[in-house]
Amino acid sequence: MTNATIHAVDISAAALTVAQTNAKNLGFRDKIQFYHGSWWHPLEFLKGQFSGMISNPPYIPSHTVLTLQPEVVKHEPHLALDGGADVLDHIRHLITVSPDYLRPGGVWLVEMMAGQAETVVELLENHGSYSHISIHADLTGIERFAVASKNI
């Protein structure tokens, strides 16, 4: 992965500043390009060129955000947590738009909330642009990650 370039997008300018500082401190400043914007929008000029996509979209229901552990509620921006009333809207968007940006065989990986795995698999299958769909658990055994490949 020494020749890989990472394109990092965030809607929060403050989050981008932290990410840029972290990249610099860890020696990755030359490997990561940072973009302020929403989802794929700032990367339109690179459509069809991505080998993979990783996203941690907001997936906590709005009515639940303030009930999370204090260390989460007090330190994480609510913009990064609050998935709205239908917490799958962001994932649906990524399922729909990502095939335009991924190369054939490109990896699609998203973190999701506990209990969403079956629905996310169904959304990916129904879209028709993905194959090799799998679900992976986090370290506590909760199904937390959906992985798929763009069809070749």
Side-chain angles (χ1 to χ4, degrees):
M1 188 167 121
T2 58
N3 63 351
T5 299
I6 297 169
H7 298 272
V9 177
D10 205 300
I11 198 163
S12 166
L16 280 175
T17 299
V18 171
Q20 288 170 322
T21 299
N22 290 342
K24 178 183 174 188
N25 291 341
L26 295 169
F28 291 109
R29 181 175 31 186
D30 296 336
K31 293 289 183 188
I32 305 174
Q33 302 295 314
F34 294 92
Y35 304 86
H36 183 240
S38 181
W39 305 118
W40 287 105
H41 189 267
L43 303 173
E44 287 184 354
F45 68 102
L46 294 170
K47 276 188 174 181
Q49 297 183 43
F50 289 89
S51 299
M53 178 220 73
I54 299 171
S55 182
N56 181 8
Y59 57 75
I60 308 296
S62 295
H63 69 279
T64 308
V65 171
L66 295 177
T67 67
L68 297 172
Q69 301 91 335
E71 62 271 16
V72 175
V73 174
K74 291 179 182 178
H75 301 289
E76 291 289 332
H78 287 203
L79 180 64
L81 300 171
D82 192 337
D86 181 354
V87 295
L88 291 169
D89 280 347
H90 299 300
I91 291 175
R92 279 189 193 92
H93 174 76
L94 290 171
I95 288 170
T96 301
V97 176
S98 297
D100 292 339
Y101 291 84
L102 293 171
R103 294 178 178 167
V107 175
W108 185 94
L109 187 152
V110 169
E111 183 175 353
M112 62 193 162
M113 188 172 87
Q116 292 180 334
E118 187 177 322
T119 303
V120 172
V121 167
E122 184 178 313
L123 290 168
L124 286 161
E125 288 173 345
N126 290 342
H127 189 273
S129 296
Y130 301 95
S131 58
H132 304 99
I133 300 166
S134 59
I135 300 297
H136 300 272
D138 64 15
L139 295 176
T140 64
I142 296 171
E143 292 180 325
R144 183 72 67 199
F145 307 97
V147 180
S149 297
K150 179 182 172 185
N151 289 338
I152 296 177

